[in-house]
Amino acid sequence: QIYVVFSEELKCWCRAVFQSVQCQALHHPLRCFLVDYAKYSLVESDNIRVPMGLFTKLPYRAKKCSLYCTKPVTLHLDFCENTAKIGPAKRWDTAAIQHFRDLLK
């Protein structure tokens, strides 16, 4: 279900899909994925609207994607044996992300 939310960070109205609810004392911020900006955000419950008409049929500007058959790797250092080996990692490190962005430019 797509909703329209006001993002305080972006200072504009965005389309969003909700992920989870985090309750606090006075307000109830909701975690959502902003489909046009491909980022997660917390939105106050009073900044949520139901989209009307053709607005719901517009294609998203951002899409989730991944590189086909590409897995993150990292350099494993063994100081006892004085060796370094490349092995699998759970997530991409910041240097690899920056290198990939530089290649795209």
Side-chain angles (χ1 to χ4, degrees):
Q1 177 71 31
I2 297 291
Y3 290 92
V4 179
V5 300
F6 186 78
S7 170
E8 295 289 337
E9 179 183 351
L10 299 171
K11 304 289 186 223
C12 66
W13 289 91
C14 312
R15 290 180 290 176
V17 177
F18 289 98
Q19 302 294 317
S20 66
V21 178
Q22 295 179 353
C23 296
Q24 292 181 356
L26 297 174
H27 300 286
H28 299 285
L30 302 171
R31 180 173 162 86
C32 63
F33 180 74
L34 304 177
V35 295
D36 290 318
Y37 294 94
K39 66 188 303 184
Y40 290 94
S41 180
L42 287 176
V43 178
E44 296 295 331
S45 58
D46 57 342
N47 288 336
I48 300 169
R49 306 288 187 272
V50 176
M52 303 297 284
L54 293 176
F55 188 71
T56 59
K57 306 231 185 296
L58 292 173
Y60 305 146
R61 293 191 315 184
K63 296 184 187 245
K64 284 185 177 181
C65 61
S66 62
L67 298 174
Y68 181 71
C69 291
T70 304
K71 304 288 183 196
V73 294
T74 190
L75 187 63
H76 297 283
L77 301 173
D78 187 351
F79 292 107
C80 296
E81 296 181 16
N82 199 19
T83 60
K85 296 179 184 177
I86 293 179
K90 293 183 180 179
R91 51 180 283 193
W92 293 99
D93 62 8
T94 55
I97 294 169
Q98 185 60 45
H99 178 67
F100 181 70
R101 286 181 180 160
D102 292 341
L103 289 174
L104 289 176
K105 289 179 184 177

